[in-house]
Amino acid sequence: MNLTERSFGQTFTWGVATSAYQIEGAVAEGGRSPSVWDHFSQLEGAVLNGDTGAVACDHYHRYLDDIQLMVQLGVKHYRFSIAWSRIMPEGRGPVNEAGVDFYRRLVDGLLDHGITPHATLFHWDSPQALEDRYGSWRSREMAQDFADYAGVVVGRLGDRVTHWITLNEIFCFIHMGYGVGDVLTQQPRPPHAPGTVVERLQEVWQASHHALLAHGWGCQAIRAASPQPCQVSLVDNPMVPVPMIESPEHIEAAKNAFELVGTNGGVIWPVLTGRYSEKLLAQLGEEAPEILPGDLETIHQPLDSFGFNVYSGCYVRAVEAGSGNDAGFEWVDLPKGYPRMHMPWLQVVPEAMYWGVRHVGETLGRGDLPIFVTENGCAAQDELRDGAVWDTDRIFYLRQYLRAAERAVAEGFPLRGYFLWSLLDNFEWAYGYGRRFGIVYLDYEDDLKRVPKASFDWYRECVRQGRVV
Ligand code: FCB
């Protein structure tokens, strides 16, 4: 393939991504009820500087301005999320039509400009009512309530939205939202809502299993409610082992590691293969989740694509002969000065982009499944000077990741699209407004003014030329 001309092809999806709680604000308007993040962010010490999403980017009122920014950027695809507690304030039962209307207006605004909406049904802001009722994901009921909610949304918006994502990043809202004692974080509570401390690791994995069921039943509900053919997918952030050197033995080591790193064996494995990793289950022993007959079939739904969120990765090397290690790989600790962006976990590992795609195809054996990068981006220490932000560090980061995506496309892997995280600086969860991921600067001191950064112009040029510039 010629890398100088539209190297991503004519039909590649170029987009940007956001999520409801991080940008909308207006938390008490239009019949919305509190979500677990409204509650969690008000707890002492839960979020940096005591920030909350109460106002965020005020996107609820300024969505037309934000659509204009996308028009200016030249993207034809937008990934956003729908706030469950706007649609069903109790989490189940009565539907708040005013909440639906907001998303109808947003979607119509996008469609008016030829921008295809990609809607995520759950990006962490579940109704507090369900936390109070049964402890959110700790209860299997949550999965059924999610599916009912999904059906309600698709029944009302499915005439104009055809791209649906069930859940965003099970690892984060479960494995970082629930923790055992203070082991996980050495803090009084886990870093993500609902921030529940449980007695045993088994309970965390059980909650994770319920999220997988929500995905499965959610897929079925979406397809049943959609008035037209639609695309359904899951967004996951698998940990990506990158071979330290691309030689056959290190590549083999990275493949061996994929199943065992992070929560891969218990999330992407059941969703894409219909089974938990046997090695993971053996490691978990008594802490493994209870799996009822039929659950794995429910979880293993046919998907139209896989949504891959990628920010960082980890390095793996081959086992040295005679070392006694029978795992088939070794971790490579990062050296002290390894480059990272403005987040403790954001080491710059561009090859994770390429290897994530390749692992899904080769290691998991799902080379048939189209992949969309549904999030990639970074936080940088942006400064507004004379009305401009010259974020060459963000461009540096993005360019390398996009080159790795370009390589995956050039080698024939089914990578079909890329959504940059994020359009706007926004409420970055436990880091509040203290971390900026946007390609548009939000001036929190001056009426939330939007100022496109240099990275915005850079990305616009990539989209225009269909290649990395
Ligand atoms: C991902 C989340 C997204 C954003 C980025 C930085 O894990 O899905 O909402 O916070 O990280």
Side-chain angles (χ1 to χ4, degrees):
M1 181 178 288
N2 183 349
L3 283 185
T4 57
E5 283 169 16
R6 294 204 81 80
S7 49
F8 285 88
Q10 295 297 335
T11 56
F12 195 77
T13 291
W14 294 97
V16 282
T18 64
S19 90
Y21 190 69
Q22 294 180 275
I23 64 167
E24 284 179 4
V27 291
E29 286 180 54
R32 179 187 182 278
S33 70
S35 73
V36 289
W37 265 95
D38 293 280
H39 186 262
F40 181 80
S41 59
Q42 284 168 29
L43 299 176
E44 171 98 40
V47 175
L48 193 65
N49 302 320
D51 290 343
T52 76
V55 178
C57 309
D58 194 32
H59 171 79
Y60 185 80
H61 298 113
R62 306 185 196 201
Y63 67 96
L64 289 175
D65 296 345
D66 295 336
I67 292 173
Q68 277 310 318
L69 286 168
M70 292 180 230
V71 171
Q72 215 181 311
L73 186 61
V75 291
K76 295 286 179 219
H77 297 267
Y78 175 48
R79 172 178 176 236
F80 64 99
S81 82
I82 293 178
W84 187 342
S85 72
R86 281 199 196 283
I87 307 294
M88 290 172 129
E90 295 304 312
R92 44 160 70 173
V95 176
N96 171 39
E97 298 296 343
V100 178
D101 283 344
F102 167 65
Y103 294 106
R104 211 175 262 131
R105 290 197 300 277
L106 169 66
V107 165
D108 287 348
L110 293 164
L111 295 174
D112 282 347
H113 291 93
I115 300 171
T116 303
H118 297 244
T120 308
L121 289 160
F122 179 69
H123 200 123
W124 308 352
D125 48 354
S126 52
Q128 178 66 24
L130 298 181
E131 175 63 19
D132 298 340
R133 183 185 281 267
Y134 51 58
S136 304
W137 298 102
R138 297 179 70 188
S139 167
R140 200 174 157 103
E141 275 185 78
M142 185 78 164
Q144 199 54 62
D145 281 339
F146 170 77
D148 292 345
Y149 149 71
V152 160
V153 173
V154 177
R156 284 166 172 73
L157 297 177
D159 56 345
R160 53 200 89 191
V161 178
T162 53
H163 292 71
W164 298 102
I165 291 157
T166 53
L167 311 175
N168 181 72
E169 296 189 354
I170 291 175
F171 170 76
C172 287
F173 71 86
I174 299 287
H175 296 265
M176 292 178 76
Y178 297 78
V180 186
D182 65 356
V183 176
L184 186 72
T185 58
Q186 307 298 315
Q187 288 167 4
R189 67 180 82 82
H192 281 258
T196 308
V197 178
V198 295
E199 302 267 304
R200 287 181 50 199
L201 183 60
Q202 197 279 341
E203 296 172 67
V204 180
W205 277 105
Q206 196 62 48
S208 183
H209 187 69
H210 297 154
L212 293 174
L213 287 170
H215 163 71
W217 285 326
C219 288
Q220 294 171 346
I222 293 168
R223 295 197 198 278
S226 179
Q228 53 180 326
C230 64
Q231 308 272 310
V232 184
S233 114
L234 173 79
V235 165
D236 186 33
N237 55 336
M239 286 268 276
V240 179
V242 172
M244 182 179 71
I245 299 165
E246 286 194 19
S247 63
E249 64 275 20
H250 292 303
I251 289 175
E252 189 57 28
K255 289 185 174 178
N256 292 337
F258 190 49
E259 181 171 355
L260 286 172
V261 60
T263 51
N264 291 2
V267 178
I268 191 174
W269 243 259
V271 170
L272 296 190
T273 72
R275 313 169 71 102
Y276 278 71
S277 148
E278 291 298 330
K279 289 180 188 162
L280 174 75
L281 290 180
Q283 272 183 6
L284 287 175
E286 299 272 279
E287 308 303 330
E290 184 192 8
I291 302 169
L292 299 185
D295 282 1
L296 291 171
E297 289 74 15
T298 299
I299 291 164
H300 185 215
Q301 290 296 308
L303 294 178
D304 298 288
S305 65
F306 173 68
F308 174 36
N309 286 359
V310 55
Y311 291 91
S312 194
C314 49
Y315 291 104
V316 158
R317 64 186 167 93
V319 176
E320 274 155 38
S323 70
N325 169 339
D326 57 7
F329 66 92
E330 307 232 28
W331 301 117
V332 181
D333 289 336
L334 289 175
K336 265 193 201 138
Y338 194 88
R340 68 168 52 115
M341 303 303 290
H342 194 213
M343 265 292 185
W345 49 264
L346 229 176
Q347 290 88 12
V348 182
V349 186
E351 300 79 13
M353 170 74 80
Y354 168 80
W355 278 99
V357 173
R358 184 160 162 187
H359 278 311
V360 171
E362 288 182 1
T363 315
L364 263 178
R366 289 301 312 265
D368 58 309
L369 199 58
I371 298 181
F372 289 79
V373 168
T374 33
E375 288 180 26
N376 174 240
C378 68
Q381 300 177 55
D382 301 319
E383 289 168 282
L384 183 63
R385 290 210 191 125
D386 300 329
V389 180
W390 305 103
D391 56 339
T392 46
D393 47 357
R394 181 174 287 102
I395 296 175
F396 158 82
Y397 170 99
L398 291 169
R399 185 185 282 126
Q400 295 184 72
Y401 279 71
L402 258 191
R403 285 216 171 109
E406 192 173 54
R407 174 182 172 202
V409 171
E411 290 184 15
F413 290 101
L415 178 59
R416 302 280 183 251
Y418 176 91
F419 292 80
L420 195 154
W421 184 275
S422 181
L423 176 66
L424 308 170
D425 290 339
N426 58 47
F427 176 80
E428 177 45 37
W429 309 114
Y431 290 86
Y433 303 102
R435 291 295 183 279
R436 295 176 177 274
F437 273 87
I439 53 173
V440 174
Y441 186 90
L442 258 269
D443 193 342
Y444 298 112
E445 309 291 310
D446 182 10
D447 189 35
L448 303 175
K449 208 169 132 203
R450 276 90 164 127
V451 183
K453 305 177 190 178
S455 55
F456 180 98
D457 294 337
W458 171 81
Y459 188 50
R460 182 179 50 203
E461 199 54 25
C462 292
V463 173
R464 195 178 72 79
Q465 297 193 28
R467 65 188 185 96
V468 189
V469 298

